[in-house]
Amino acid sequence: MKLISIMEYKNENRTCQNCKKYFTIEPDDFGFYEKIGVPAPTWCPECRLQRRMSWRNERNLYKKKNSASIDSIEILSMYSPDSPYIIYDKEYWWSDKWDPLKYGQEYDFQKSFFEQFSELLKVTPLQALQLMNSEKSQYCNYIDYNKNCYLVFGTGFSENTRYSNKSSYSTDSQDLLGSTHNELCFDLIDCFGCFNLISSENCVSCMNSAFLYGCRNCNDCFGCANLVSKSYCFLNVQLKKEEYLEKVKSLNLGNNIYREKIKQKFEKEIRDKAIRRFANITQCTNCTGHNINKSKNSKHCFDIDHDAEDSKYAIHSLEIKDNYDVYGNYKSELAYEGVDNDIGMNNLGTITVYSSNNCSYCFTCQASSNLFGCVGLRSKEYFILNKQYSKKEFLELKSKIIKQMNEKPFLGLNNRIYKYGDFFPIEFSPWAYNETIAQEYFPLTKKEALNQGYKWKEKEERNYQIDIQNKDILNDIKEVDDSIINKVIECEHKGTCNEQCTEAFKIIPDELKFYQRMNLPIPHLCPNCRHYNRLKQRNPLKLWHRKCMKENCPNEFETSYAPDRPEIVYCEKCYQQEVY
């Protein structure tokens, strides 16, 4: 294939075939698509992200029959009982007791590729949960190297952590979102390297503090914002050590009613008036997005832990190079349209494919290369739809399939056209829309989801008996004893919200000890509703062009703060002048 110089390309405006809005493909984008041999996309970046997210269920867990068991014993699974998918427990799936080649099939040119892949996905056993190298971690999914964790998702290398999401390297902590390398912390959003920090957001290296926003290297501070290397500050007022300690001692933060009043005061008087940096981009060169660290030449990226290079539209990834439209990739090079792929090169349309190269449209394959449309393979090469070929046969058939995909594309719901290079059609996802993380970032009502061609899962009937009504939850942690453990507690939302509310929840022993140790009241919301509350505090995965709000500053930038939002947003120069 003859590569065209990027200088020969020009910006091209297109209409998204999904949402009908305009989007722009830039010269560098055309260069990337040419490099990996795919046509330029016909969906806008936001619709492409929504489509990928509709193929990942993190938090909705069910009891489903284990097909590996003769007695069909029920196990915890991310696939619902009424889904057609065959599931195995982790140990059996990784064993040699079953053979994914058994489900291999000849390619049928009378059908589209995507239809045949969907058929293979429904007959090939899948892992009930994505659990890697973890121990004593219950009700978790997409985790690795965790120990003694509970209801933790998309997180690795953590211990004694509960109710957290995308918060790796956490210890003795709870209710974290997008926060890493923290210890003895509670209710954090986008915080890094903190110790004994409570109910704070966007903080770095802070300790023994509570209710902070945008602070760095602070200790013993309460209700403060935009502070750097400070101690003993209360509501942004500098106090003497003795004054500060006496002030904090007088607070009754273990009482839910009092704590909520303090929280509201902090949010209204301090947090909402804080100066916002246009983007959290640290030690980066030529990058745009939010929460990016130690990266270069990466645009429209979000939650990049470190080392993204020459990438675009990457989310929650690290150590990637030449990655476009990926979510959760790690040590990946030359990847396009992928979800949760680790250590690989030249992969297209892959989901949970690890240590593999040259794979296209594969699902949960490991340590393999040169696969096309495969499910559940390990240490295999030159397979199409789980059937093996010689290298020559593989390349010839793959070429014919790609030609068919381009000349006779799959026509999906709402007349969406899917060619080679497009991600999997939304209607073939193993999950309903409201089971996936797409609902977290692009929330839809049932009617909206169905109109857009997504599936929708109705709430399952709950057969538990409420032990403690929400109004009867003891407000002060000092009044709570071990009798509350494992009692069914009513969630304040009672299932009326659109936040995957479980309607009720329980307090486990380690959790109660944590509340008592940290002097925190018993929550009134279920873990899912608490998670959604934290999500609401984060910026959307989208950029707008706007000006610095500092008077007389001419600087402009791209930011995830929409122009109509009320926050005070400064450019990098003005932010450093005010805050550092």
Side-chain angles (χ1 to χ4, degrees), residues 24-52:
T24 301
I25 302 177
E26 299 177 336
D28 286 347
D29 304 336
F30 281 113
F32 174 81
Y33 302 135
E34 185 80 18
K35 184 188 299 185
I36 63 173
V38 301
T42 60
W43 292 45
C44 70
E46 189 168 332
C47 287
R48 298 199 301 267
L49 174 58
Q50 186 180 20
R51 180 174 60 184
R52 285 193 303 278

Coordinates of all heavy atoms in Angstrom, one line a residue, residues 24-52:
T24 N -14.8 16.7 12.2 CA -13.7 17.0 11.3 C -12.7 15.9 11.4 O -12.3 15.5 12.5 CB -13.1 18.4 11.7 OG1 -14.0 19.4 11.6 CG2 -11.9 18.7 10.7
I25 N -12.2 15.5 10.2 CA -11.0 14.6 10.2 C -9.8 15.4 9.7 O -9.8 16.0 8.7 CB -11.3 13.4 9.2 CG1 -12.6 12.7 9.6 CG2 -10.1 12.4 9.2 CD1 -13.0 11.5 8.7
E26 N -8.8 15.3 10.5 CA -7.6 16.2 10.3 C -6.5 15.4 9.5 O -6.6 14.2 9.4 CB -7.1 16.7 11.6 CG -8.1 17.6 12.4 CD -7.6 18.0 13.7 OE1 -6.7 17.4 14.3 OE2 -8.1 19.1 14.2
P27 N -5.5 16.1 9.0 CA -4.5 15.4 8.2 C -3.8 14.3 9.0 O -3.5 13.2 8.4 CB -3.5 16.6 7.9 CG -4.4 17.8 7.8 CD -5.4 17.6 8.9
D28 N -3.4 14.5 10.3 CA -2.8 13.4 11.0 C -3.7 12.2 11.2 O -3.2 11.1 11.2 CB -2.5 14.0 12.5 CG -1.3 14.9 12.4 OD1 -0.6 14.9 11.4 OD2 -1.0 15.6 13.5
D29 N -5.0 12.5 11.2 CA -6.0 11.3 11.3 C -5.9 10.5 10.1 O -5.8 9.3 10.1 CB -7.4 11.8 11.5 CG -7.5 12.7 12.7 OD1 -6.7 12.6 13.7 OD2 -8.5 13.6 12.8
F30 N -5.9 11.2 8.9 CA -5.9 10.4 7.7 C -4.6 9.6 7.6 O -4.6 8.5 7.1 CB -6.0 11.4 6.5 CG -7.4 11.8 6.2 CD1 -7.7 13.2 6.4 CD2 -8.3 11.0 5.7 CE1 -9.0 13.6 6.1 CE2 -9.6 11.4 5.4 CZ -10.0 12.7 5.6
G31 N -3.5 10.2 8.1 CA -2.2 9.5 8.1 C -2.3 8.2 8.9 O -1.8 7.2 8.5
F32 N -3.0 8.3 10.1 CA -3.1 7.1 10.9 C -3.9 6.0 10.2 O -3.6 4.9 10.2 CB -3.7 7.5 12.3 CG -4.0 6.3 13.1 CD1 -3.1 5.7 13.9 CD2 -5.3 5.8 13.2 CE1 -3.3 4.6 14.7 CE2 -5.6 4.7 14.0 CZ -4.6 4.1 14.8
Y33 N -5.1 6.4 9.7 CA -6.0 5.5 9.0 C -5.3 4.8 7.8 O -5.4 3.6 7.6 CB -7.3 6.1 8.6 CG -8.0 6.8 9.7 CD1 -8.6 8.1 9.5 CD2 -8.2 6.2 10.9 CE1 -9.3 8.7 10.6 CE2 -8.9 6.8 12.0 CZ -9.4 8.0 11.8 OH -10.1 8.7 12.8
E34 N -4.5 5.6 7.1 CA -3.7 5.0 6.0 C -2.7 4.0 6.5 O -2.5 3.0 5.9 CB -3.0 6.2 5.3 CG -2.2 5.7 4.0 CD -3.1 5.6 2.8 OE1 -4.3 6.1 2.9 OE2 -2.7 4.9 1.9
K35 N -2.0 4.3 7.6 CA -1.0 3.5 8.2 C -1.6 2.1 8.6 O -0.9 1.1 8.4 CB -0.4 4.1 9.4 CG 0.8 3.4 10.0 CD 1.2 4.0 11.4 CE 1.7 5.4 11.2 NZ 2.3 6.0 12.5
I36 N -2.8 2.1 9.2 CA -3.3 0.8 9.6 C -4.3 0.2 8.6 O -4.8 -0.9 8.8 CB -4.0 0.9 11.0 CG1 -5.2 1.9 10.9 CG2 -3.1 1.4 12.0 CD1 -6.1 1.9 12.1
G37 N -4.5 0.8 7.5 CA -5.2 0.2 6.4 C -6.7 0.2 6.6 O -7.4 -0.8 6.2
V38 N -7.3 1.3 7.2 CA -8.7 1.3 7.3 C -9.3 2.6 6.7 O -8.5 3.6 6.7 CB -9.2 1.2 8.8 CG1 -8.7 -0.1 9.5 CG2 -8.7 2.4 9.6
P39 N -10.5 2.6 6.3 CA -11.1 3.9 5.8 C -11.3 4.9 6.9 O -11.5 4.4 8.1 CB -12.4 3.4 5.1 CG -12.8 2.2 5.8 CD -11.5 1.5 6.2
A40 N -11.4 6.1 6.6 CA -11.7 7.1 7.7 C -13.1 6.8 8.2 O -14.0 6.3 7.5 CB -11.7 8.5 7.1
P41 N -13.4 7.1 9.5 CA -14.7 6.8 10.1 C -15.8 7.6 9.6 O -15.7 8.8 9.1 CB -14.4 7.1 11.6 CG -13.4 8.2 11.6 CD -12.5 7.8 10.4
T42 N -17.0 7.0 9.7 CA -18.3 7.7 9.3 C -19.1 8.1 10.5 O -20.1 8.7 10.4 CB -19.1 6.8 8.4 OG1 -19.4 5.6 9.0 CG2 -18.4 6.5 7.1
W43 N -18.6 7.7 11.7 CA -19.2 8.2 13.0 C -18.3 9.2 13.6 O -17.1 9.1 13.5 CB -19.3 7.0 13.9 CG -20.3 5.9 13.5 CD1 -20.5 5.3 12.3 CD2 -21.3 5.3 14.4 NE1 -21.4 4.4 12.3 CE2 -22.0 4.3 13.6 CE3 -21.6 5.4 15.7 CZ2 -23.0 3.5 14.1 CZ3 -22.6 4.6 16.2 CH2 -23.3 3.6 15.4
C44 N -18.9 10.2 14.3 CA -18.1 11.2 15.0 C -17.5 10.6 16.2 O -17.8 9.5 16.7 CB -19.0 12.4 15.4 SG -20.2 12.0 16.7
P45 N -16.4 11.3 16.7 CA -15.7 10.7 17.9 C -16.6 10.4 19.1 O -16.4 9.3 19.7 CB -14.7 11.8 18.2 CG -14.5 12.5 17.0 CD -15.8 12.5 16.3
E46 N -17.6 11.2 19.4 CA -18.4 11.0 20.5 C -19.3 9.7 20.3 O -19.5 8.9 21.2 CB -19.3 12.2 20.8 CG -20.1 12.1 22.1 CD -20.7 13.5 22.5 OE1 -20.1 14.5 22.1 OE2 -21.7 13.5 23.2
C47 N -19.9 9.6 19.1 CA -20.7 8.4 18.9 C -19.9 7.1 18.8 O -20.3 6.1 19.2 CB -21.5 8.6 17.5 SG -22.8 9.8 17.6
R48 N -18.6 7.2 18.4 CA -17.7 6.1 18.4 C -17.4 5.6 19.8 O -17.4 4.4 20.1 CB -16.4 6.4 17.6 CG -16.6 6.7 16.1 CD -15.3 6.6 15.3 NE -14.2 7.4 15.8 CZ -13.9 8.6 15.3 NH1 -14.7 9.2 14.5 NH2 -12.9 9.2 15.8
L49 N -17.2 6.6 20.7 CA -16.9 6.3 22.1 C -18.2 5.7 22.7 O -18.0 4.7 23.4 CB -16.6 7.6 22.8 CG -16.4 7.4 24.3 CD1 -15.3 6.4 24.7 CD2 -16.0 8.8 25.0
Q50 N -19.3 6.2 22.5 CA -20.6 5.6 23.0 C -20.8 4.2 22.5 O -21.2 3.3 23.3 CB -21.7 6.5 22.6 CG -23.1 6.1 23.2 CD -24.2 7.0 22.8 OE1 -24.1 7.7 21.8 NE2 -25.3 7.0 23.6
R51 N -20.5 4.0 21.3 CA -20.6 2.6 20.7 C -19.6 1.6 21.4 O -20.0 0.5 21.8 CB -20.3 2.7 19.2 CG -20.4 1.3 18.5 CD -20.2 1.5 17.0 NE -19.0 2.1 16.6 CZ -18.6 2.5 15.4 NH1 -19.5 2.3 14.4 NH2 -17.5 3.0 15.1
R52 N -18.4 2.1 21.6 CA -17.4 1.2 22.3 C -17.9 0.9 23.7 O -17.8 -0.2 24.2 CB -16.0 1.8 22.3 CG -15.3 1.8 21.0 CD -13.8 2.1 21.2 NE -13.6 3.4 21.8 CZ -13.7 4.6 21.1 NH1 -14.0 4.6 19.8 NH2 -13.4 5.7 21.8

